[in-house]
Amino acid sequence: MKAIQIPTPGQMAVVDIPEQPLQPNEVMLRMQYVGFCGSDLSTFLGKNPMVQMPVIPGHEVGAIIEQVGADVPEVLKPGMVVTVNPYTNCGKCASCRNGRVNACQHNETLGVQRNGAMRERMVLPWEKIIPAGQLSPRTCALIEPMSVGYHAVSRAQVTDIDVVVVIGCGMVGMGAIVRSVQRGATVIAADIDDEKLALAKEMGATFAINTINEDVHARLLEMTDGFGPDVIIEAVGSPITYQMAVNEVAFTGRVICIGYAKAEVSFQTKFFVQKELDIRGSRNAQPSDFRAVIRYLEKKGDASIESLISRVVKPEDAFNAMQQWAEHPGRVFRILVDFS
């Protein structure tokens, strides 16, 4: 069957791979749409240390159940539209013991530590299959990245009295914006791209700050009556934005870190103590986050999130699309590969 593979950094090819046999307790999916995310771009550029090449990328899935194996629960039926929980936990580490399997010490994610979903069909344990209700497979490919943003908002314990800044308005950041708005918070979107900021306001952000063109510190004080934001969610992974989050968050505020910085970050650690900050990591998503995103998207309807999709390509055009994304990373929101 047809699959997309990254054999070496800077290269991508459509290859033929063997079909996977269906075993008991497994489900065979026919892929419809699979999204490229930032980790796939890092892999393509040779900057993802967790990947061993060659690798099949992809973990943002919109699929249809083609076949179910023996002993699969009856709720999962052929023809159903589903997405996938792409994380695999060990069940033995401290995170798993504490019920936070999304942060498993030995986590393996599709398209990273394991071959991913950029293929025509894939067989997975039934526990990883998430029914998507009335959503289209195309919309389903947006569920996983938005779920990561939803999880960050849970880590931040956002409430309706909070002012929340989301730094980075990609798909993950957009999920954080939507979830914060759902919880009644006042949301400020921060990014370097005006088009993304406009989209963030469409999704519910009250204010937007272009961090290149504006005085971020002065604007945040103006928007928060001089207090600073209660919560800052860092969804970029840059030393500059990490420092911004710690510097700008209010006293006794919460800083939530999603992005992986590619270089060491230096902090004024006095702020950790003086502000009595809560600085928390946020990794992947919980099943409850997936369910919450699906409910949100069902209420909004498929058409409402079309603006989140930058481009849809066939497998044969994926290499070209990835090259263009690498050349202009700030201009691409989401690229979907159409296997339908």
Side-chain angles (χ1 to χ4, degrees):
M1 64 177 168
K2 184 186 299 182
I4 294 173
Q5 185 183 76
I6 301 176
T8 58
Q11 296 298 316
M12 182 176 288
V14 178
V15 299
D16 189 60
I17 62 172
E19 296 278 356
Q20 295 174 276
L22 182 64
Q23 303 292 336
N25 293 305
E26 292 183 336
V27 174
M28 179 179 289
L29 301 180
R30 178 173 288 276
M31 296 300 163
Q32 301 294 294
Y33 294 90
V34 183
F36 276 127
C37 76
S39 65
D40 297 318
L41 179 59
S42 293
T43 299
F44 178 74
L45 296 173
K47 297 180 179 180
N48 192 337
M50 295 180 287
V51 171
Q52 288 189 347
M53 295 184 184
V55 66
I56 298 171
H59 57 257
E60 302 174 358
V61 173
I64 294 174
I65 295 178
E66 185 167 276
Q67 192 176 351
V68 297
D71 303 321
V72 171
E74 292 186 3
V75 68
L76 298 176
K77 302 179 184 297
M80 289 182 66
V81 175
V82 298
T83 191
V84 168
N85 183 332
Y87 325 121
T88 299
N89 63 292
C90 71
K92 300 177 181 178
C93 69
S95 299
C96 292
R97 181 180 63 182
N98 291 330
R100 290 163 66 176
V101 297
N102 58 292
C104 172
Q105 181 179 351
H106 307 291
N107 169 73
E108 294 185 355
T109 298
L110 295 180
V112 185
Q113 296 91 347
R114 297 186 175 195
N115 278 322
M118 290 278 178
R119 59 180 82 187
E120 291 180 294
R121 285 177 294 281
M122 190 171 194
V123 173
L124 291 166
W126 71 262
E127 295 92 344
K128 297 299 178 185
I129 310 303
I130 302 174
Q134 301 303 311
L135 295 180
S136 70
R138 181 177 166 121
T139 298
C140 286
L142 305 180
I143 292 172
E144 190 274 341
M146 291 191 72
S147 298
V148 175
Y150 268 48
H151 183 65
V153 173
S154 294
R155 293 284 292 145
Q157 298 176 299
V158 170
T159 72
D160 59 353
I161 63 171
D162 288 322
V163 176
V164 178
V165 174
V166 178
I167 306 176
C169 298
M171 274 300 303
V172 171
M174 206 61 71
I177 289 169
V178 167
R179 192 55 162 167
S180 297
V181 170
Q182 286 181 318
R183 292 192 174 196
T186 299
V187 179
I188 303 170
D191 201 282
I192 63 174
D193 185 87
D194 286 332
E195 291 184 12
K196 289 183 178 179
L197 290 171
L199 184 55
K201 294 189 76 171
E202 287 182 26
M203 303 302 286
T206 302
F207 303 106
I209 300 176
N210 186 310
T211 57
I212 291 180
N213 301 331
E214 300 182 66
D215 184 331
V216 175
H217 179 70
R219 290 277 282 140
L220 288 178
L221 291 181
E222 174 190 339
M223 295 172 180
T224 60
D225 297 324
F227 289 104
D230 305 285
V231 175
I232 296 186
I233 296 174
E234 198 288 335
V236 175
S238 162
I240 294 173
T241 51
Y242 263 83
Q243 291 165 347
M244 182 188 298
V246 170
N247 294 346
E248 300 300 340
V249 74
F251 275 64
T252 68
R254 288 100 74 196
V255 174
I256 309 301
C257 306
I258 309 176
Y260 282 91
K262 304 299 189 296
E264 292 186 4
V265 185
S266 298
F267 291 106
Q268 291 288 338
T269 55
K270 66 179 183 180
F271 289 149
F272 296 10
V273 178
Q274 288 179 348
K275 292 185 177 183
E276 199 174 54
L277 297 182
D278 287 334
I279 301 176
R280 305 174 185 177
S282 182
R283 185 181 181 191
N284 298 332
Q286 293 272 19
S288 58
D289 300 308
F290 281 82
R291 294 196 302 270
V293 172
I294 290 170
R295 177 174 293 183
Y296 165 76
L297 292 174
E298 282 186 316
K299 290 180 179 179
K300 292 289 288 185
D302 290 326
S304 67
I305 49 79
E306 275 299 305
S307 55
L308 302 182
I309 300 170
S310 302
R311 188 175 177 185
V312 179
V313 298
K314 287 293 186 179
E316 293 76 14
D317 298 320
F319 179 43
N320 177 261
M322 188 63 85
Q323 285 181 311
Q324 292 181 11
W325 189 12
E327 292 169 2
H328 305 286
R331 297 180 184 176
V332 173
F333 203 77
R334 238 343 160 256
I335 297 172
L336 303 186
V337 179
D338 180 0
F339 285 90
S340 65

